[in-house]
Amino acid sequence: MWRCGRGNSEDAFWPDLGSKYTAWSSVSTLIQKNLVMKTHNPARYSLTEEGLALGERLESLEGTKGPEGDGEEARSEGNEQEEGGPGIVDLTVSDDDEEEKEEERIQPTERPTPSASRPRVLVPGMFFSGKPQNVPSRKSWSLLPGSYEIILCVDFIETTGGSKNCKQDLVKELQRNGVTFDVRKLNVGDFLWVAREKVAPIPGQLRTPVARELVLDYIIERKRMDDLCGSIIDGRFREQKFRLKRCGLRNPCYLVEEYGKAASHLSLPESTLQQAIINTQVIDRFFVKRVQDVRESMAYLTVMTRYLNKLYQNCTLTCRSRELEGDGEEEERGTPPCSLISFAEFNHGAIKNKSQTVKEVFARQLMQVSGLSGDKAAAVLELYSTPLSLLTAYERCAGEADKEKLLSSIRYGKLKRNLGPALSRTVYQLYCTQGALT
């Protein structure tokens, strides 16, 4: 159960002396359980209807006594709650939490010690907003200038299978250009860069310590024209764009290789492919770099690698949790973002077939609607995070006209344009024909 440690709600976001837990440790769980809603950038948090109802329930269970109440009674209640007594509503129970609790039983010295001087938590205090950039993370660590090197990571698919000549050309070009690269499995994207910690062998140990890695905010998806054609036909192209936007990196890029005269013999007209590229750049706001062949692609990656080496050469890099994505300070122009995600967390979060929350599945369902892009789906999810919440909103409308216009005023993207009546009507008609958008 999430507990704040002090009377001041802001103090709860700082760890107690000797403790690695803060109020931020459970925010992502509250969001997944649809108790807290995250909006805006920098982030703002507020309770959902379910969260507010649960907060009122918890407040009623707390009674009327506050921090000035009887100390002995507070201690006895605290002990009763720690022992799993009545009146406890666990907000964070899950299989992962059970494993964490088991670890805490094995290491009891790491568990925060309850104090009689601490007031009991009031969940309505969760109404907060602002920039938690100064909040220490329990997984926070830093790489100082000179203690790391910039490495280009190449997805192993780019070097194996398919046309062997093209794959070999890719590796040879990078080697010829003197680029330090590492071939590994990337769950999203084809190329990215990491800041890898420089580690030295320890005398008396067989293996060198594992180097820590932070992912720079640049990721590239490489598309040849024939690959682009196939991904548009089977629907992968829209899904890939959605996953790139949600991967946690701020600068996704498409590297498009022309297919020469062979582009006119593909399954889709060349005009359709060109329009898809333009839409990716103008509507989806991806940076698109167009090149002629593999050699030009590798030249671009070489230039990018050298640019990033120069950009980050005097920077102290800090590991941030993906849970706090978008909560950091706004970066000044010309200054690289120095609060980065670890590679392990990034790659795990990008697993394609991992277990998904209801909100993530609902997002995929919405994106199957013609004309509903990732930005538009995200805007709908801010108000209706599950199919049930959207269906409930439809049922509350007075008539058919109101139902058709329910989503029309939702604003999306940086320009905050309205979703529009046509798309709102399409979503509602889908609801009528299929019942639950499935």
Side-chain angles (χ1 to χ4, degrees):
M1 182 175 180
W2 180 41
R3 299 177 182 277
C4 293
R6 299 180 178 89
N8 187 340
S9 61
E10 294 182 358
D11 291 341
F13 296 91
W14 291 82
D16 293 327
L17 186 62
S19 172
K20 62 180 181 179
Y21 298 99
T22 69
W24 288 111
S25 303
S26 299
V27 169
S28 62
T29 305
L30 296 175
I31 294 174
Q32 291 175 1
K33 293 182 178 294
N34 200 32
L35 298 173
V36 174
M37 180 172 61
K38 175 181 176 181
T39 57
H40 298 83
N41 185 11
R44 299 179 184 176
Y45 298 85
S46 58
L47 291 177
T48 62
E49 293 182 3
E50 294 88 344
L52 180 60
L54 182 56
E56 292 173 348
R57 179 185 171 192
L58 287 173
E59 185 177 18
S60 65
L61 292 174
E62 291 292 341
T64 57
K65 289 189 177 183
E68 294 79 12
D70 189 343
E72 290 297 325
E73 182 178 350
R75 279 192 290 270
S76 63
E77 288 188 7
N79 293 336
E80 181 183 15
Q81 291 179 352
E82 290 295 330
E83 295 172 1
I88 294 298
V89 180
D90 195 341
L91 303 180
T92 61
V93 60
S94 67
D95 294 339
D96 293 339
D97 294 333
E98 291 298 330
E99 293 177 2
E100 291 180 4
K101 291 178 182 178
E102 186 64 28
E103 292 178 0
E104 290 176 0
R105 294 190 194 101
I106 298 174
Q107 300 176 350
T109 57
E110 294 184 4
R111 180 179 298 185
T113 305
S115 173
S117 61
R118 296 180 187 174
R120 293 159 292 181
V121 62
L122 298 180
V123 174
M126 268 294 293
F127 284 103
F128 56 88
S129 62
K131 300 180 180 180
Q133 65 272 11
N134 294 324
V135 180
S137 170
R138 58 179 174 176
K139 297 181 181 179
S140 179
W141 47 271
S142 299
L143 295 178
L144 300 177
S147 67
Y148 59 87
E149 56 183 342
I150 305 299
I151 305 293
L152 170 65
C153 295
V154 182
D155 186 23
F156 78 100
I157 297 296
E158 296 296 306
T159 62
T160 59
S163 175
K164 289 187 177 180
N165 291 334
C166 291
K167 307 292 184 179
Q168 291 174 356
D169 289 344
L170 185 151
V171 174
K172 289 179 180 178
E173 285 297 322
L174 289 177
Q175 291 173 341
R176 184 180 295 114
N177 295 340
V179 176
T180 304
F181 67 95
D182 183 27
V183 178
R184 62 179 70 178
K185 178 177 174 57
L186 301 179
N187 291 321
V188 63
D190 296 320
F191 305 94
L192 55 82
W193 289 265
V194 298
R196 178 190 292 172
E197 181 183 23
K198 297 178 181 178
V199 294
I202 299 177
Q205 290 190 5
L206 178 61
R207 294 182 177 86
T208 303
V210 178
R212 296 176 294 183
E213 294 179 330
L214 293 176
V215 184
L216 306 188
D217 273 322
Y218 298 85
I219 184 170
I220 291 180
E221 178 75 23
R222 176 175 168 237
K223 285 287 182 188
R224 225 171 57 164
M225 278 296 190
D226 55 339
D227 182 27
L228 176 62
C229 177
S231 62
I232 292 176
I233 293 174
D234 60 22
R236 286 183 294 114
F237 189 48
R238 295 182 66 192
E239 182 192 11
Q240 285 174 345
K241 290 191 289 186
F242 181 77
R243 294 179 65 218
L244 281 172
K245 282 189 174 183
R246 300 295 169 182
C247 72
L249 305 185
R250 298 179 178 93
N251 301 296
C253 168
Y254 266 93
L255 184 60
V256 180
E257 290 183 9
E258 303 291 347
Y259 203 48
K261 295 181 180 179
S264 59
H265 302 291
L266 298 176
S267 302
L268 294 177
E270 186 176 0
S271 60
T272 301
L273 300 179
Q274 298 295 343
Q275 186 63 55
I277 295 172
I278 293 173
N279 290 345
T280 300
Q281 188 170 12
V282 177
I283 298 177
D284 299 314
R285 298 196 304 278
F286 281 91
F287 177 77
V288 177
K289 176 65 177 177
R290 304 182 71 160
V291 295
Q292 292 298 321
D293 51 26
V294 175
R295 187 173 183 178
E296 284 193 14
S297 294
M298 297 308 103
Y300 177 71
L301 293 175
T302 301
V303 172
M304 276 293 298
T305 303
R306 293 170 181 171
Y307 166 75
L308 292 174
N309 269 288
K310 183 176 180 181
L311 185 66
Y312 283 92
Q313 63 182 355
N314 296 319
C315 295
T316 298
L317 307 182
T318 303
C319 178
R320 67 175 169 88
S321 173
R322 192 172 178 177
E323 298 173 2
L324 305 182
E325 177 184 338
D327 294 347
E329 295 181 358
E330 295 293 326
E331 304 293 341
E332 298 179 3
R333 178 168 294 184
T335 303
C338 297
S339 179
L340 307 173
I341 307 171
S342 69
F343 177 79
E345 183 176 5
F346 162 80
N347 217 30
H348 176 74
I351 295 176
K352 186 174 181 178
N353 294 322
K354 68 176 182 178
S355 58
Q356 298 176 326
T357 63
V358 174
K359 186 175 182 179
E360 291 171 335
V361 175
F362 189 34
R364 289 174 176 267
Q365 292 174 335
L366 287 174
M367 289 186 62
Q368 301 308 309
V369 179
S370 177
L372 213 159
S373 63
D375 282 348
K376 295 176 182 178
V380 173
L381 290 173
E382 287 186 4
L383 294 178
Y384 309 104
S385 59
T386 64
L388 179 60
S389 61
L390 179 57
L391 300 185
T392 303
Y394 279 134
E395 292 174 357
R396 292 175 179 172
C397 293
E400 290 296 314
D402 292 337
K403 293 179 180 179
E404 291 183 354
K405 298 178 182 178
L406 177 65
L407 306 180
S408 60
S409 60
I410 294 179
R411 298 183 179 273
Y412 70 93
K414 291 185 177 180
L415 299 179
K416 298 300 179 185
R417 294 173 176 169
N418 287 337
L419 213 59
L423 195 53
S424 177
R425 188 182 306 112
T426 301
V427 175
Y428 175 64
Q429 290 173 351
L430 182 62
Y431 154 74
C432 292
T433 55
Q434 298 189 6
L437 299 177
T438 56

